[in-house]
Amino acid sequence: MDFSTALPIFAITLREGVEAALVVGIVMAYLKKVDRSSLNPWVFGGIGTGVLASFIVGIFLNWFVKQVENTEPMQAAFYGQLWQGVLGITAIAMLSWMLVWMTENAKALKGEIEGQIGKAIANEKSAGWAVFILILIAVLREGFEVVIFISAKLQGGIGPVIGAIAGLVGAVAIGIALFQFGIRINLQVFFQAMGVFLLLIVAGLVISAIGHLDKAVAAYAELSQISICLPAASATEMSSCLLGGLVWNVHDILPDTQFPAILLKAMFGFRDRLFLGQAIAYFTFLASAGFLYFRSLTGKTMKNKLNIG
C-alpha cells in the first residue's frame, strides 16, 4: 500500500482539525464556566452535522468527476483537466487565506468566540440552535477546505482516507488534551511548524494546478482545432502548451513514480520534469504567501493569543 498519498492529507486534516477543535473547546469551556453545560449536546450535534455535511460534499465532488470522465473522450480530457485545475486554484486560495487569517486573528479568537456564544445563549429559547449553528459553521469551514484539497489531489486508493482519518483523530486528541485534561501544548510552535509545512504543500499544489490548466488549454485547442499552443522546440523534446520549455529534467535519475521522489511529489509537488511556467508560479507563490505568513507571525505567540494552558 502506498502511504505517500496519506501524508499531505494527514497534515492538512490535522491542522484544520485543530483549528476547529480550538473553537469547540473554547465554546465548551465557556459553557462550563457560565454553568450552561446542558447545551453540550448541541455542540456535539454541530460537530456531527458538520463532519457529515463535509463528507456529503466530498461524495458529490467525486460523483461530478465520474460524470465528467464518462463523457466523450475529447471533452472528458478538457473538462477533467479544467475541473482539476479549478479545484486546485480554489484549494490554494482557501488554504492560503485561512493560514494567514488564523495567524493574524488568533489573538482575538478566544474573546470573539466567547462574545458570540454569550450573545447566543442569552436567549433561552434559541440558545441551543445558536450554539449548534456556531459549531456547525466552524466545522464546515475547516471540513470544506480539507474536502476541496483532497478533491484537488484526486488520488485514489485507501491512502488519502487513512490520512484524513488519522489527521482527524490527531486533532480530536489535541483538543481533548487541551481542554479536558489541561495538558499544556506549545500551540505557537505547533501552528508555526504546521504553517511552514502547509505553505510547502500548497506550493506543490500550485505546480499541479498550473499543469492541469495547461493540459486543459491543450485539450481545448485540439477539440476546437485551433492553434493556441506554443510550438515545441523539437519533435523529440517534451513540451507544454503555454508553460514554455523544460527547466528541470531528472526523470532518468529521480523518477517521480518511484521512492523517494514519489513521496516528495505527494507532499510538496515535486516533478521529475518541470516547465518554466510551473517554476515561475511556484516561486512566486512561495515568495508572496511566505512573506504574508511570516509577517503575520511577527511578535506573536499562539499560546498567549488563545490563553490556553
Side-chain angles (χ1 to χ4, degrees), residues 24-299:
V24 172
I26 290 171
V27 169
M28 295 188 70
Y30 182 80
L31 291 176
K32 182 178 181 180
K33 183 172 68 175
V34 297
D35 197 25
R36 297 297 299 276
S37 295
S38 59
L39 293 174
N40 282 349
W42 291 93
V43 175
F44 297 132
I47 296 172
T49 304
V51 171
L52 179 61
S54 299
F55 182 71
I56 292 174
V57 170
I59 293 177
F60 172 76
L61 290 177
N62 184 67
W63 172 84
F64 182 81
V65 170
K66 295 298 182 182
Q67 297 304 307
V68 170
E69 291 176 348
N70 290 333
T71 59
E72 191 271 330
M74 289 296 297
Q75 291 183 344
F78 167 65
Y79 288 113
Q81 294 294 338
L82 179 63
W83 175 247
Q84 293 180 49
V86 170
L87 274 179
I89 296 297
T90 303
I92 291 165
M94 292 179 65
L95 290 170
S96 301
W97 180 80
M98 278 305 301
L99 175 64
V100 176
W101 180 90
M102 179 64 182
T103 306
E104 290 182 342
N105 293 275
K107 183 177 182 179
L109 181 64
K110 186 172 184 289
E112 288 181 0
I113 293 175
E114 289 186 345
Q116 292 176 7
I117 199 66
K119 292 179 181 178
I121 64 177
N123 188 329
E124 188 68 32
K125 293 182 178 180
S126 61
W129 282 110
V131 171
F132 174 86
I133 292 173
L134 177 64
I135 296 298
L136 174 62
I137 292 174
V139 174
L140 264 182
R141 183 182 63 193
E142 310 302 341
F144 190 64
E145 290 174 11
V146 173
V147 167
I148 290 294
F149 177 79
I150 294 175
S151 299
K153 300 293 281 186
L154 285 177
Q155 296 162 328
I158 196 66
V161 177
I162 293 176
I165 293 175
L168 183 60
V169 171
V172 171
I174 290 176
I176 292 175
L178 287 172
F179 295 100
Q180 188 68 28
F181 298 109
I183 296 176
R184 295 175 180 268
I185 297 176
N186 194 325
L187 290 175
Q188 176 191 6
V189 174
F190 172 82
F191 277 107
Q192 286 183 0
M194 292 299 294
V196 173
F197 200 40
L198 180 61
L199 271 177
L200 294 174
I201 291 176
V202 177
L205 189 57
V206 170
I207 295 176
S208 176
I210 294 297
H212 286 307
L213 293 177
D214 181 71
K215 291 177 182 178
V217 173
Y220 179 78
E222 186 174 355
L223 184 64
S224 304
Q225 295 184 342
I226 57 177
S227 179
I228 56 177
C229 293
L230 300 174
S234 66
T236 58
E237 182 179 343
M238 185 178 179
S239 62
S240 65
C241 182
L242 299 177
L243 297 179
L246 286 171
V247 295
W248 170 274
N249 189 351
V250 293
H251 176 73
D252 294 334
I253 59 175
L254 196 62
D256 58 21
T257 56
Q258 300 177 15
F259 185 85
I262 190 173
L263 181 61
L264 296 175
K265 180 179 180 180
M267 291 297 297
F268 308 121
F270 171 83
R271 296 293 189 277
D272 54 16
R273 296 185 178 98
L274 188 68
F275 293 99
L276 177 62
Q278 289 174 308
I280 293 175
Y282 176 84
F283 287 109
T284 299
F285 170 83
L286 207 55
S288 57
F291 170 76
L292 292 174
Y293 174 64
F294 285 108
R295 187 182 67 174
S296 68
L297 289 176
T298 304

Side-chain angles (χ1 to χ4, degrees), residues 4-29:
S4 63
T5 58
L7 294 177
I9 306 299
F10 168 78
I12 295 293
T13 307
L14 179 64
R15 193 189 189 283
E16 301 304 311
V18 168
E19 290 185 12
L22 289 177
V23 175
V24 172
I26 290 171
V27 169
M28 295 188 70

